[in-house]
Amino acid sequence: MHDETWMLIEVGALLLGLSLLGRLAIKYGQSPIPLYMTAGLVFGSGGLLPLHASIDFLSSGAELGVVLLLVMLGLEYSPTELVGNLKSSARAGIWDGLLNAVPGAVFALILGWGPIAALVMAGVTWVSSSGVIAKVLRDLGRLGNRETPIVLSVLVLEDLAMAFYLPILSAVVIGASLLEGAITVAIAVGSVTVVLYLAVRHGKKLSRIFHSEQPETLLMGVLGLTMLVAGLASEVQVSAAVGAFLVGIALSGQVAHNAEKLLAPLRDLFAAIFFVFFGLTTNPADIPEVFFPALILAAVTMSTKVLTGYLAAKKAGIGRPGRWRTGVALMPRGEFTVIIAGLAVSAGVQPLIAPLAATYMLITVISGPVLARITDTAWFKQQMKNAAKREGALAGSSK
């Protein structure tokens, strides 16, 4: 059979299987993400039934999944909310970098991998997965929660920080000169600034390009604009996710409302492919050798992410339950972990970084959505009530 025929067979069977897994997860009140990731391991390189003809399609679909997840998140918020939250969360961004990048760098130095590998591992453990977190927030019905803008602010700050980090990392691993690295960083930061300015100042004008009552043209127009901006952002070493998010922020009114409805089914489809592809890119045979180091690193940096979110939400005046929800929501790492590790390995930095980063990412992505549900349990709610009572008693005794 032709490759196109095999591609249809593989993708069709995969989607059917994912549908059944998703139904199973929903039946038991769980997120389907861990099951999607596990399916990726089964069908990836080194798995039981590796896919071949559909890999290129799934790779592109995974990229589109991230873009759709982030543009849909952007549609939930206005430019004013974005700017306000970024300003209020600037200190949280500094905490985030210190608490989560430093452990990765120290880990590499302890293993004797050297300073360049330390810079790589700092990025691997620093940035949370916007795609995974967007999916978890939606699955758990938390998009309207008071703490969700704090989560999004931290994610956006991380992605914007990547506009500095990725060009610097690229220059370091390939041995580029200081001037070449500075030029790359300047282009990336300038591009983000321009897009953010247009989104905040001229978002309403942008919305007028589209006709909110014509579903066909609205879908093609919004999707086309999102992919265009995401692609251009990626080309200048800025996250495609940031570009997509800013497009969502820029659109407003009925256009944003109707676009959200039209894009929702596409988001669900390609988001599932996004999670499967993570599993596909990991060879299960590489996991045993690096599993325990990755587990230790995951335990440390998932804890520091919880602390990051807790402190950021506390500063924003969020109650104690919301602080914990913020922290646990930020635990999964994802797309940047893979990108950074791949960049380092292709430059010959340290071959063990790839399986370690992949295993680390899988641990956080599989366990993160499960742990995020703890804050919805009766046990957790009772603990929050007990803590509030103790706090009240202490306040009363101090008077």
Side-chain angles (χ1 to χ4, degrees):
M1 285 187 285
H2 296 296
D3 287 345
E4 292 82 2
T5 304
W6 273 114
M7 187 270 289
L8 291 173
I9 292 172
E10 289 182 359
V11 172
L14 179 63
L15 292 179
L16 179 60
L18 293 180
S19 171
L20 297 175
L21 289 175
R23 183 177 179 182
L24 180 66
I26 292 170
K27 179 180 179 180
Y28 291 100
Q30 299 298 317
S31 169
I33 293 174
L35 295 180
Y36 293 163
M37 294 281 296
T38 304
L41 287 173
V42 172
F43 295 112
S45 175
L48 296 177
L49 297 169
L51 302 178
H52 299 289
S54 57
I55 292 298
D56 289 342
F57 172 84
L58 295 174
S59 176
S60 299
E63 184 70 20
L64 185 55
V66 177
V67 167
L68 286 168
L69 281 166
L70 270 294
V71 71
M72 292 290 282
L73 267 184
L75 289 170
E76 296 278 342
Y77 299 94
S78 69
T80 303
E81 290 173 320
L82 172 65
V83 173
N85 287 325
L86 288 178
K87 289 180 179 178
S88 63
S89 301
R91 186 178 297 177
I94 297 173
W95 295 336
D96 184 33
L98 292 174
L99 289 171
N100 298 288
V102 171
V106 171
F107 188 81
L109 293 174
I110 290 174
L111 292 177
W113 288 355
I116 296 179
L119 179 62
V120 172
M121 289 303 298
V124 165
T125 58
W126 179 5
V127 185
S128 298
S129 172
S130 301
V132 175
I133 293 169
K135 172 72 171 171
V136 171
L137 291 176
R138 188 174 63 84
D139 285 348
L140 298 180
R142 295 181 184 172
L143 289 178
N145 284 18
R146 281 191 64 211
E147 74 273 3
T148 297
I150 307 302
V151 175
L152 297 181
S153 297
V154 172
L155 293 177
V156 171
L157 283 169
E158 286 181 346
D159 283 351
L160 292 176
M162 288 297 100
F164 292 89
Y165 173 82
L166 285 176
I168 292 172
L169 179 65
S170 300
V172 170
V173 297
I174 65 174
S177 68
L178 182 62
L179 178 59
E180 290 172 331
I183 291 173
T184 305
V185 171
I187 292 173
V189 174
S191 301
V192 171
T193 304
V194 169
V195 173
L196 185 59
Y197 171 80
L198 293 174
V200 173
R201 295 294 184 182
H202 302 288
K204 291 184 178 179
K205 293 179 182 178
L206 179 63
S207 298
R208 292 178 194 149
I209 298 173
F210 308 106
H211 196 301
S212 62
E213 301 304 323
Q214 293 179 355
E216 182 179 343
T217 59
L218 179 60
L219 175 61
M220 289 190 293
V222 173
L223 182 58
L225 177 64
T226 302
M227 294 175 68
L228 174 63
V229 173
L232 292 173
S234 183
E235 185 66 21
V236 295
Q237 302 297 316
V238 179
S239 165
V242 170
F245 182 76
L246 292 176
V247 170
I249 287 288
L251 298 177
S252 60
Q254 196 63 35
V255 167
H257 179 72
N258 290 356
E260 194 172 355
K261 290 181 179 179
L262 293 171
L263 289 171
L266 288 176
R267 172 201 59 196
D268 294 341
L269 170 63
F270 286 101
I273 292 175
F274 164 70
F275 298 118
V276 170
F277 190 73
F278 270 171
L280 289 174
T281 56
T282 303
N283 188 340
D286 294 333
I287 293 178
E289 181 182 359
V290 296
F291 179 78
F292 286 108
L295 183 62
I296 294 170
L297 187 61
V300 171
T301 55
M302 289 172 76
S303 300
T304 54
K305 274 293 180 184
V306 172
L307 180 58
T308 297
Y310 189 95
L311 294 174
K314 182 179 181 180
K315 185 177 183 298
I318 305 297
R320 186 179 281 108
R323 297 173 199 169
W324 285 108
R325 286 194 296 268
T326 303
V328 296
L330 289 168
M331 290 190 294
R333 275 40 166 215
E335 52 272 24
F336 277 118
T337 296
V338 176
I339 292 168
I340 292 167
L343 183 64
V345 172
S346 64
V349 175
Q350 168 55 250
L352 281 179
I353 286 178
L356 176 68
T359 305
Y360 167 81
M361 180 268 296
L362 284 171
I363 291 171
T364 63
V365 169
I366 290 174
S367 61
V370 176
L371 294 174
R373 291 179 174 271
I374 291 177
T375 57
D376 292 333
T377 62
W379 172 83
F380 177 81
K381 293 175 182 178
Q382 185 60 48
Q383 295 302 310
M384 291 298 98
K385 289 180 182 178
N386 293 341
K389 288 179 182 178
R390 288 194 296 270
E391 194 174 83
L394 288 173
S397 63
S398 64
K399 291 181 181 179

